[in-house]
Amino acid sequence: MAVSGAIPTSLSKLHYPSFSPTTLDLFEIHAFPMKNMRIGGVIQRVRCDLSSSSSTFSALQQLKKSSIDRYTKERSSIVVIGLSIHTAPLEMREKLAIPLAELPQAVSELCGLYHIEEAAVLSTCNRMEIYVLALSHHRGVREVTQWMSKRSGIPVSEICQHWFLLYNNDATQHLFEVSSGLDSLVLGEGQILSQVKQVREKLRSGFGMVIPGLFEKAITAGKRVRTETCIASGAVSVSSAAVELALTKLPTGSASSAVMLVVGAGKMGKLVIKHLVAKGCTRMVVVNRSRERVAAIQEEMMPLGVEIVYKPFDEMLACAGEANVIFTSTASETPLFLKEHVESLPLMNDARLLVDISVPRNVGSCVDELDSARVYNVDDLKEVVAANKEDRARKAMEANYIITEESKKFEAWRDSLQTVPTIKKLRRKTERIRAASVEKFMSRYGKDMDKKTKEAVDDLTRGMLNKILHGPMKHLRCDDGENRELPETLENMEALNRMFELELELLEEKIRAKMEQK
């Protein structure tokens, strides 16, 4: 929701937009007219006339000092709202899917929600997960879910039937397991780590500290699991499982003579080609929008005696008419094969196989109604990977120790960030006091001073302030020469917050930050 005009510099001058309290509880508490308010454990009548800036400011001051303002006392929560192959059908996941190129815009929209400070989106063929740093996890979840519903057209109630919600340590643990391949359909598969890295790269342009840090640590955990355990040894991928599934569905003895068509030469398509070659396929047709990617694959496969035939996209249906098996793995957001397309293809002795490993799907669900075609998608791969899942689950036990260790490191790092705002607030507050005192002094005695003397007074007061703050600042840092433990540093932080009343500034900062985003 947009807010026009310049951003005011104090809460007494803030102008709030007209919006529904049901969509903005933070401002519902702090900025809307309300009849009753609990202050100091007692219900009191408070008049907050938005046309009067002084009454709004007065109510805010009371709220800041009351026990109900948890925004100044509780740390923001890490939350993951997710739908995966384990919880949600493919039809829902493909509606929620967000292409990689659109991730920055999606993250920007999420960070624009009133209770969301930071965000990241992990959208793959098997999952759609949104990670946020929320001022209030209940309100944050509601806002994100409403955003998901608006973007996808899926009712909130339906999303809630298939989602999973995890908070703080559980959310951290989950992402580390995802990055390590423990939560994948194919246990130990490596592509998910690459996808987590892609999300981290998209967050490099200033989307906060905690969520980017979380993804950075998840990448470290994923690398360690793959390096220090056997979880990835002999692991199959979604692409290899797709090839395995297709070969098991072909009539006995026909695999070697079947005509293979691969639509899409991206990472998934290239892996399909490699696994087909590993299964003995020596010729296949590849349809792609550009020749360059196919040419690189042709060069790589040439020493193996494999023939890769390139065809442009406008010849896709003609190529499909000659193929026994069609693999699709493109980023198209609309189906490439509809019922009328496949129905018009020449009939074969056996039903044509279409193996679609794309999300959103490249093959329309209506194609499966035809007797001349059999359609398989990523959800059908479960039967292929079930056979080796038990063995790989035993190997996952070893990985869990690494994930637990890396999770603790992340939590320690996140805890250490708590002192940064206190350092900044203490510096700003004392500087405001210094500057105001100097200004008052100059207004009385500065008329007879030359410029050099005025600068000397300013430098003198700055130097005094720095010497006074040296001790408190030293005790707020975990990286000084004394190797101070984190619990002691956090105790010092809480003490300084109380003594200098720094917590009273936190709400104003958060409200102003949200207004500035708008």
Side-chain angles (χ1 to χ4, degrees), residues 11 54 84 86 99 154 313 337 384:
L11 274 178
S54 61
S84 73
H86 307 300
I154 302 173
F313 242 90
F337 291 93
V384 178

Side-chain angles (χ1 to χ4, degrees), residues 76-80 132-133 166-168 171-172 210 214 410 414:
S76 298
S77 300
I78 296 176
V79 185
V80 55
V132 297
L133 187 67
L166 297 170
Y167 303 100
N168 295 317
T172 298
V210 176
L214 174 64
F410 170 75
R414 187 189 174 199

